[in-house]
Amino acid sequence: MKRFIPFLLLSFCLGSGTLITGCTNQSSNTEGSFTNADNSKSGETIKELVSSTDIGDVYNGGGINLEDSFDVDSIEKKMTELALANSGVDSEDKLDHHLIVTPTDMDMELQFGVSAEAIFLEGGIYTNVSQITEWTSENSDIADVTQGEIHANKVGETNITATYQGITKSIHINVIEKANWEEKDGSWYYVDATGKKTTGWKVINGNWYYLGNNGSMLTGWQKIKDTYYYLHSSGAMAQGEWVKNKDDGAWYYFNYNGEMAKHKWIKDGTNTFYIHSNGKMATDEWVKGEGDSWYYFLLDGKMARDRAIDIKGVSYQFDKEGKCLNPNGN
């Protein structure tokens, strides 16, 4: 018998972000992605969650969805099928299982509601299982949690736990009256309750910030441990969004985990884009897909689809998926 997890609509509303996946059925194995089902229709049974070989694709893929029910058996069956196919093994007992929960430590202002993520790693496949994970709070008077959405009720500290397939991870929540930002000599610092300046990554009200070695809040393009990030003028890390580099004029995409995307296909609504290994969005150029397939990206970065285009005096025809039907120009 299939298991269903029903949820009733509560009287409060917590926001959920829009997922922009790096998944198209044209991408190769090295680009590592899977086409995801559209689970956005309320009141229906969810049979598939967001999965990918790239962890950057599955962040913000959950979000509170209390009107829907979840066919957990069907979901987990598909997860295992993807894991087996990706890892090349022939049985489930040969698959390693890991649960990644982020953030692990967060400051929240009173009455704020923010998201936590539960990502299940199985056979090289990441799946956002936030909506079917068991979430609990040690002290719900301070902060309660539903499907990974945490709401701060009272000043104090508590731990939120996420349990999935026997694996439990914990998040420390510090509910405060107001974020302790201080400005000095044109720089901003985040100061804890003891007056000490914070350094490194810090999650405040659901946004990620990076504080330098001297505690000053960093902004703009930053290379941190060999990975590029973009921090807005507010200090908040760019997540699931495009950023234009003023120096080279190129557009770059930052995954929901904040890392700059590289060598992947990005599906944004009805449009598909391609990101080179240096992070730049492809524009006015050809990109080779899987096998002998070729795709062309216009000046605005969108993949040409279902149309004919003259390129250097030659007419090329593209199907609805963007694949060029006459790559030799014949």
Side-chain angles (χ1 to χ4, degrees), residues 82-316:
L82 284 174
L84 291 171
N86 184 66
S87 64
V89 299
D90 55 6
S91 64
E92 294 182 41
D93 58 7
K94 295 180 181 179
L95 295 173
D96 289 331
H97 299 160
H98 302 278
L99 185 64
I100 303 163
V101 175
T102 57
T104 57
D105 195 336
M106 175 166 50
D107 286 2
M108 293 180 63
E109 289 184 31
L110 197 60
Q111 302 304 317
F112 260 74
V114 299
S115 297
E117 308 276 358
I119 312 296
F120 188 63
L121 173 60
E122 180 182 39
I125 300 296
Y126 298 92
T127 302
N128 192 314
V129 294
S130 300
Q131 293 172 312
I132 61 173
T133 291
E134 179 185 351
W135 296 89
T136 58
S137 172
E138 289 183 359
N139 190 334
S140 58
D141 289 338
I142 293 174
D144 55 51
V145 58
T146 303
Q147 291 182 316
E149 299 286 342
I150 304 169
H151 190 258
N153 303 315
K154 180 181 176 181
V155 172
E157 297 183 48
T158 188
N159 291 313
I160 301 291
T161 58
T163 302
Y164 183 71
Q165 292 201 16
I167 308 173
T168 297
K169 298 289 183 177
S170 180
I171 303 171
H172 180 72
I173 303 295
N174 181 30
V175 179
I176 56 180
E177 289 280 0
K178 189 176 181 180
N180 301 313
W181 289 103
E182 293 184 0
E183 184 181 16
K184 184 178 181 181
D185 299 328
S187 296
W188 285 93
Y189 301 84
Y190 186 78
V191 182
D192 64 20
T194 66
K196 181 181 178 181
K197 294 178 180 177
T198 299
T199 60
W201 287 108
K202 184 70 175 178
V203 185
I204 306 166
N205 295 330
N207 291 317
W208 289 83
Y209 299 84
Y210 192 82
L211 296 308
N213 293 333
N214 66 350
S216 62
M217 183 187 76
L218 301 187
T219 60
W221 291 81
Q222 300 293 335
K223 187 177 183 181
I224 302 170
K225 293 184 178 180
D226 298 323
T227 301
Y228 281 100
Y229 300 85
Y230 183 80
L231 306 171
H232 291 289
S233 58
S234 65
M237 180 182 74
Q239 294 180 272
E241 59 190 287
W242 294 95
V243 173
K244 187 175 183 179
N245 189 319
K246 295 180 180 179
D247 294 333
D248 61 16
W251 286 91
Y252 296 78
Y253 184 78
F254 290 84
N255 295 314
Y256 273 102
N257 64 354
E259 296 181 0
M260 184 181 76
K262 294 181 180 180
H263 190 51
K264 67 187 296 184
W265 306 81
I266 302 288
K267 187 170 178 59
D268 187 348
T270 59
N271 298 308
T272 300
F273 302 83
Y274 181 75
I275 306 298
H276 290 292
S277 58
N278 62 2
K280 291 184 179 181
M281 180 182 75
T283 59
D284 193 23
E285 61 186 292
W286 290 95
V287 172
K288 191 176 187 300
E290 187 175 356
D292 295 327
S293 60
W294 284 91
Y295 302 86
Y296 189 78
F297 292 84
L298 306 171
L299 282 170
D300 60 2
K302 296 176 182 177
M303 177 190 289
R305 296 190 305 173
D306 196 22
R307 60 186 293 187
I309 299 179
D310 286 337
I311 303 172
K312 296 182 179 180
V314 178
S315 180
Y316 295 91

Side-chain angles (χ1 to χ4, degrees), residues 9-16 64 66 111-114 149 151:
L9 183 62
L10 300 184
S11 59
F12 61 85
C13 179
L14 297 176
S16 61
I64 198 164
L66 298 175
Q111 302 304 317
F112 260 74
V114 299
E149 299 286 342
H151 190 258

